[in-house]
Amino acid sequence: MTTAPSSRTGATPQKTPLLIGLLPFAGVILFVIAEIVGFVVTGGADALRWTTMNAVLFLIGSSSVGNGIAHLFFGPVIARSIGWQPGPFQFEVGAANLGIGVAAIVAAAAFDADAWLAPILAALIFLVLAGIGHIRAIVVERNLSINNAGPILVLDFVIPVVTLALWIWLTVS
């Protein structure tokens, strides 16, 4: 998000329970596993197509579902780990993540590469703007909480940009 209601400037970062903290990274972990299994099973045949599909399915789909679950069901804990006060925005962020995630999973699992662009663009817009919001909170509020200035910030940019680059490479090849 670009701004957070009731932001906690200068507050002590809160510790997130490990399982809840791993939910947003589930897609990255599943992507790595799927890539290893895919390479072992196919020997690298049609690697670009499989990698792009895995990126949509896991990096966007599973990651967004994990983020959605985290924000919807563990909102106060997640808000504090971002350095924000809990509020109703958590439900909206969770709903948006869940919608993007489900769309990506359905597109990757049931449709051809042409359909993958829609969830990629939705994730790109949402995540890059969220990342810009995190950077703004770092600069303006000095919010260095782990889920504001840590790995999530990097993934906000890397996941959608890499997935879009893979999709472009696949479709122009």
Side-chain angles (χ1 to χ4, degrees):
M1 302 294 318
T2 55
T3 58
S6 308
S7 185
R8 287 175 27 151
T9 327
T12 305
Q14 299 289 315
K15 202 159 169 64
T16 305
L18 183 60
L19 180 60
I20 296 169
L22 286 176
L23 279 173
F25 300 99
V28 174
I29 295 164
L30 291 171
F31 173 78
V32 170
I33 293 168
E35 285 297 294
I36 293 167
V37 169
F39 185 76
V40 168
V41 170
T42 68
D46 209 9
L48 179 58
R49 180 174 183 74
W50 282 105
T51 297
T52 305
M53 185 185 72
N54 284 337
V56 174
L57 183 61
F58 297 114
L59 292 180
I60 293 177
S62 295
S63 287
S64 295
V65 168
N67 280 320
I69 291 168
H71 283 278
L72 286 169
F73 297 103
F74 308 103
V77 172
I78 296 300
R80 286 189 289 276
S81 76
I82 299 170
W84 295 344
Q85 288 296 322
F89 73 93
Q90 288 298 116
F91 186 83
E92 294 174 9
V93 170
N97 271 295
L98 193 59
I100 291 167
V102 169
I105 290 168
V106 169
F111 296 98
D112 161 318
D114 292 338
W116 302 347
L117 182 59
I120 292 170
L121 291 177
L124 179 82
I125 293 166
F126 179 77
L127 292 172
V128 167
L129 289 175
I132 290 169
H134 289 300
I135 290 170
R136 181 189 167 285
I138 292 167
V139 172
V140 174
E141 303 165 11
R142 310 245 189 269
N143 181 347
L144 299 176
S145 298
I146 188 67
N147 282 335
N148 189 66
I152 292 290
L153 175 61
V154 174
L155 293 179
D156 279 348
F157 294 100
V158 171
I159 284 176
V161 170
V162 165
T163 306
L164 180 61
L166 285 167
W167 184 86
I168 290 169
W169 187 14
L170 175 68
T171 58
V172 297
S173 303

